[in-house]
Amino acid sequence: MIGYSQKLIEANKAANQQHIGVKLGKACIKKDVPVQVVCKMIGVSRTTIYSWFTGKSLVSVHYLPNIKSVLRELA
């Protein structure tokens, strides 16, 4: 995994796996998709992406369609 630190990977694993932001993080880590690419696909900042990946913040309903689309692409 070139783009993700062990700390982020562990935080993602420890987070609530039911949250869509955490699921997005898991998929991106598995496929090694850079955070900057995800930011552009969804239209949010890197800070937001990291917060979603680790479960520190929940995804706004506004972004659900974009996230679901990204998850389908990564499946």
Side-chain angles (χ1 to χ4, degrees):
M1 309 267 164
I2 295 170
Y4 294 99
S5 69
Q6 191 61 37
K7 183 177 177 181
L8 178 73
I9 293 168
E10 290 173 12
N12 177 264
K13 287 180 183 177
N16 185 336
Q17 299 296 308
Q18 298 303 311
H19 293 166
I20 195 162
V22 176
K23 290 179 183 181
L24 176 65
K26 185 175 182 177
C28 291
I29 290 166
K30 182 177 179 180
K31 299 285 186 168
D32 204 23
V33 178
V35 169
Q36 285 183 293
V37 171
V38 181
C39 291
K40 289 179 183 177
M41 293 172 84
I42 298 173
V44 296
S45 69
R46 291 178 63 177
T47 302
T48 298
I49 293 294
Y50 285 119
S51 293
W52 290 349
F53 280 13
T54 59
K56 289 184 180 179
S57 66
L58 299 177
V59 172
S60 168
V61 176
H62 172 77
Y63 296 108
L64 288 177
N66 290 353
I67 292 172
K68 290 178 180 179
S69 175
V70 171
L71 286 170
R72 280 192 299 274
E73 287 182 39
L74 295 176

